[in-house]
Amino acid sequence: MQFRTQVPISPSNNQIDYNSKIVSLGSCFAVNMAEKLDYFKFDNSCNPFGIIFNPVSIERIIKRVVEQELFTEKDVFFHNEQWHCYEVHSELSHSDKEEFLNKLNLLVKEFHYQIIKFSHLIITYGTSWIYRNNESQEIVANCHKVPQKQFLKELLSVEVIEKSIQNTINLIQTINPNAQFIFTVSPVRHIKDGFVENQLSKSHLFTALHQVLKTHNSQLITHNYFPSYEIMMDELRDYRFYNEDMLHPNQVAIDYIWKCFSENFITENSISTMKEVAEIQKGLTHRSFNPESEQHKAFLSKLHQKRTILEQKWSHIKF
């Protein structure tokens, strides 16, 4: 007898392997999945401009990078003793304006090169709620703790989200026509927006995203959807799978969702390499009771040998 429902997942037609170059963008759940890719030593980059939750802000930063539109003084502002930019996360903010602009523009150039080269782009959308700056009327990716009275909170319509997702795909394909897209909706619940408002926000993302996928698939262009939100809501429907805030998936949930992802989006012939990497990772965290023992020295020698073999086989793997 089955005591839970299981979300059916369609395996990707363009799976990830150790030759793939992957970029992950979007919400904090994108970081959770990227950390798994990093742990298993895939060639992965995550959120070069920091966490971004809404589709329009993701599109905006992609447009800037694809068109190599560098940041200038008009794009930054000073607040709480630091320079900020409304298009990027506050983790990039800096006390020196010139250094801040130089860092942002270096990221533009580096990310442009990555887009040309990557094979897979994983985008995790978090919310349809956005904040529009009253002065510029621009949608911001991050408010940087500027007083809320300077923004207007809005819910993006399905039509606007759909157009934004399509624009993002089109922009990427202008410089990388072979890019493979994997879309997902974050399982993190944005309860600060309200319970009903969170569900409304997610529903707009689902409707827009699946309309885009339906249109592309009808043209025999396959972009993939991974149901991370559905797995959290329908398979792991219990608060024991949440962190203490009862909003974010805990490590057990992240591990399970990763398992579902890896079984359907990573090639079978990569599994053996993943096992080798995991064995080395565990070995690197091992703490011996007697570091000077012959047994421990033999263990370190064998571990070093395994590392060397993998690093020689895959140039991007470094422990």
Side-chain angles (χ1 to χ4, degrees):
M1 182 180 291
Q2 283 276 52
F3 290 100
R4 65 184 177 93
T5 54
Q6 189 166 2
V7 177
I9 302 174
S10 300
S12 170
N13 294 323
N14 299 284
Q15 293 181 317
I16 292 167
D17 61 21
Y18 276 91
N19 291 306
S20 302
K21 296 184 182 299
I22 310 152
V23 171
S24 303
L25 294 178
S27 79
C28 49
F29 188 73
V31 177
N32 296 147
M33 291 293 98
E35 286 172 348
K36 288 291 187 182
L37 290 165
D38 289 341
Y39 179 84
F40 288 103
K41 298 298 180 182
F42 286 92
D43 191 348
N44 175 63
S45 171
C46 180
N47 280 341
F49 294 95
I51 291 169
I52 300 177
F53 294 99
N54 76 80
V56 172
S57 292
I58 291 176
E59 176 201 349
R60 177 69 188 98
I61 203 68
I62 289 290
K63 183 175 188 296
R64 180 181 286 279
V65 170
V66 168
E67 297 177 356
Q68 297 189 74
E69 176 191 349
L70 298 181
F71 290 92
T72 65
E73 289 190 1
K74 67 179 177 60
D75 299 309
V76 301
F77 66 97
F78 194 71
H79 177 68
N80 284 343
E81 300 184 7
Q82 282 199 311
W83 289 93
H84 307 277
C85 174
Y86 281 129
E87 294 180 34
V88 306
H89 195 273
S90 56
E91 66 184 19
L92 296 174
S93 299
H94 201 283
S95 58
D96 184 280
K97 181 170 67 173
E98 292 305 315
E99 285 193 35
F100 183 43
L101 285 170
N102 288 339
K103 180 167 66 172
L104 291 179
N105 288 328
L106 179 60
L107 286 171
V108 169
K109 295 172 184 177
E110 290 177 346
F111 192 32
H112 183 270
Y113 178 77
Q114 282 182 320
I115 290 176
I116 293 172
K117 297 293 183 181
F118 71 59
S119 59
H120 294 79
L121 175 62
I122 304 173
I123 299 182
T124 304
Y125 294 122
T127 184
S128 302
W129 288 103
I130 57 91
Y131 290 86
R132 188 182 298 276
N133 184 282
N134 291 330
E135 183 179 349
S136 67
Q137 290 300 300
E138 294 289 334
I139 294 172
V140 304
N142 196 293
C143 294
H144 302 292
K145 297 184 178 179
V146 172
Q148 192 160 348
K149 65 182 180 180
Q150 296 189 29
F151 304 94
L152 177 65
K153 185 177 180 180
E154 298 177 17
L155 183 69
L156 293 173
S157 69
V158 171
E159 292 74 21
V160 168
I161 297 171
E162 184 179 339
K163 183 178 179 181
S164 181
I165 295 171
Q166 186 58 63
N167 287 346
T168 299
I169 294 172
N170 293 343
L171 283 163
I172 294 290
Q173 290 182 332
T174 59
I175 59 174
N176 186 347
N178 297 317
Q180 302 297 322
F181 293 81
I182 301 172
F183 294 100
T184 189
V185 173
S186 170
V188 178
R189 297 182 301 145
H190 292 253
I191 298 304
K192 64 181 177 62
D193 295 320
F195 285 84
V196 174
E197 290 80 1
N198 173 66
Q199 292 295 87
L200 184 60
S201 165
K202 298 290 189 185
S203 67
H204 280 212
L205 292 175
F206 288 129
T207 305
L209 182 51
H210 285 282
Q211 186 58 45
V212 172
L213 294 173
K214 179 182 177 182
T215 301
H216 279 267
N217 290 342
S218 69
Q219 299 169 353
L220 302 180
I221 303 170
T222 303
H223 299 309
N224 293 283
Y225 177 75
F226 175 65
S228 58
Y229 180 90
E230 294 85 342
I231 292 169
M232 192 73 200
M233 295 298 113
D234 289 294
E235 288 197 51
L236 307 178
R237 47 191 307 157
D238 191 301
Y239 278 109
R240 65 195 165 113
F241 296 115
Y242 284 88
N243 280 334
E244 291 180 359
D245 64 3
M246 298 299 165
L247 302 176
H248 290 77
N250 63 16
Q251 195 58 53
V252 174
I254 291 168
D255 290 346
Y256 180 77
I257 295 172
W258 164 256
K259 176 178 177 290
C260 296
F261 180 86
S262 61
E263 288 174 349
N264 292 279
F265 285 80
I266 295 177
T267 61
E268 189 175 345
N269 59 16
S270 296
I271 302 302
S272 59
T273 303
M274 290 174 67
K275 289 179 179 178
E276 291 176 46
V277 170
E279 187 178 333
I280 293 171
Q281 295 281 42
K282 290 176 183 176
L284 291 171
T285 60
H286 175 70
R287 293 293 176 264
S288 173
F289 287 114
N290 185 3
E292 300 303 320
S293 68
E294 291 302 318
Q295 183 181 13
H296 185 63
K297 290 178 181 177
F299 168 79
L300 292 178
S301 176
K302 188 175 181 181
L303 184 64
H304 177 74
Q305 185 179 11
K306 290 178 180 178
R307 286 178 56 180
T308 301
I309 291 171
L310 268 186
E311 289 175 349
Q312 288 177 345
K313 184 176 181 181
W314 304 103
S315 60
H316 68 273
I317 290 183
K318 296 288 183 292
F319 288 94

